[in-house]
Amino acid sequence: MSKKITIAIDGYSSTGKSTVAKQLAKKLGYIYVDTGAMYRAVTLYAMRKIMVTDNKVDEEAILRHLAFISVKFIYDEDLGYGIIHLNNENVEKEIRLMEVSNNVSKVAAIPEVRKMLVKQQHEIGKDGGVVMDGRDIGTVVFPDAELKLFMTASAEKRAERRYAELKEKGEDVNYEDVLKNVEERDHLDSTRETSPLVKADDAIIIDNSNLSKEEQFDKILSLVKEKTEA
Ligand code: DC
């Protein structure tokens, strides 16, 4: 049997990281961890308690509440991966709303929030056989991951994809706002002080602006094979 490795998938928002990560985890029988969902769940908690509004984050209030925030993945047999729960409530749908997307970068920039979630990510992935997607997986969470991918695509292409997804869910959005959100998040995620989004030196860039999902998956699967069968 081939060895179970750690696969770190980082990159910009809406580059299809989670789609690839889920596909890979299913194919390989690995655990899939969507770390963005963890940051989104903490953001949702803060929004519900009015610690976050469109322009401001009450960092101190969030820190006082950290001990009361439980973020967990509960395995769903049918889907084959864990669904995000905030204090035992399934929040998978709610964390994807545009309002959460607009605030998450600010919450994800708080060092204590990151510390709490990274600790949990280490615990989940400590035995390998995991596909984890996020922004700092190959640089901070698992710097020794055997395979690191860095996914990217043009902002316009990503906004188009995100817009189509939100429309399909019935959200009332316009393309310009989605593009603005994508660009703002890129900026905040890449320039924050703690664990900014940067490519690890040994990560392989996957630019999928012009790749079909199938082409991309085949390419990545062959990279996995190189590592597991080496
Ligand atoms: O992958 P996503 O778009 O669901 O992530 C939501 C936000 O969380 C994104 O703006 C960046 C942040 N994030 C992070 O800072 N570190 C991670 N490992 C994952 C996500």
Side-chain angles (χ1 to χ4, degrees), residues 35-36 39-40 104-105 108 114 134-137 185 189 192:
T35 62
Y39 290 96
R40 286 171 180 271
V104 63
S105 289
R114 304 200 69 82
R135 303 293 189 287
D136 59 343
I137 312 304
R185 275 209 284 161
D189 293 343
R192 70 169 174 239

Side-chain angles (χ1 to χ4, degrees), residues 20-32 131:
V20 168
K22 276 182 207 154
Q23 273 178 316
L24 267 184
K26 193 169 180 193
K27 177 94 184 171
L28 304 168
Y30 282 18
I31 297 168
Y32 163 60
V131 186

Side-chain angles (χ1 to χ4, degrees), residues 9-14 17-18 34-40 43 95-96 100-101 103-109 114 117-118 121 132-137 141 162 185-186 188-189 192 194-197:
I9 305 186
D10 292 303
Y12 291 99
S13 61
S14 303
K17 294 188 297 294
S18 64
D34 172 1
T35 62
M38 300 169 86
Y39 290 96
R40 286 171 180 271
T43 305
I95 59 160
R96 309 289 166 196
V100 177
S101 302
N103 289 307
V104 63
S105 289
K106 289 174 223 144
V107 174
R114 304 200 69 82
L117 298 181
V118 168
Q121 290 154 14
M132 202 171 274
D133 82 50
R135 303 293 189 287
D136 59 343
I137 312 304
V141 184
R162 189 93 196 98
R185 275 209 284 161
D186 283 359
L188 285 170
D189 293 343
R192 70 169 174 239
T194 314
S195 309
L197 169 65

Side-chain angles (χ1 to χ4, degrees), residues 92-122:
E92 172 55 40
K93 277 220 177 85
E94 214 172 329
I95 59 160
R96 309 289 166 196
L97 294 174
M98 187 77 173
E99 232 185 309
V100 177
S101 302
N102 286 339
N103 289 307
V104 63
S105 289
K106 289 174 223 144
V107 174
I110 302 172
E112 289 82 356
V113 169
R114 304 200 69 82
K115 200 168 153 199
M116 173 177 100
L117 298 181
V118 168
K119 191 169 164 215
Q120 229 177 311
Q121 290 154 14
H122 275 153

Side-chain angles (χ1 to χ4, degrees), residues 62-111:
I62 295 178
L63 298 188
R64 279 199 305 276
H65 278 249
L66 273 192
F68 307 108
I69 306 178
S70 142
V71 172
K72 258 188 288 187
F73 288 100
I74 297 182
Y75 189 74
D76 181 305
E77 197 83 43
D78 294 334
L79 292 171
Y81 54 85
I83 295 295
I84 191 83
H85 282 65
L86 169 64
N87 293 341
N88 293 320
E89 174 194 350
N90 179 341
V91 289
E92 172 55 40
K93 277 220 177 85
E94 214 172 329
I95 59 160
R96 309 289 166 196
L97 294 174
M98 187 77 173
E99 232 185 309
V100 177
S101 302
N102 286 339
N103 289 307
V104 63
S105 289
K106 289 174 223 144
V107 174
I110 302 172

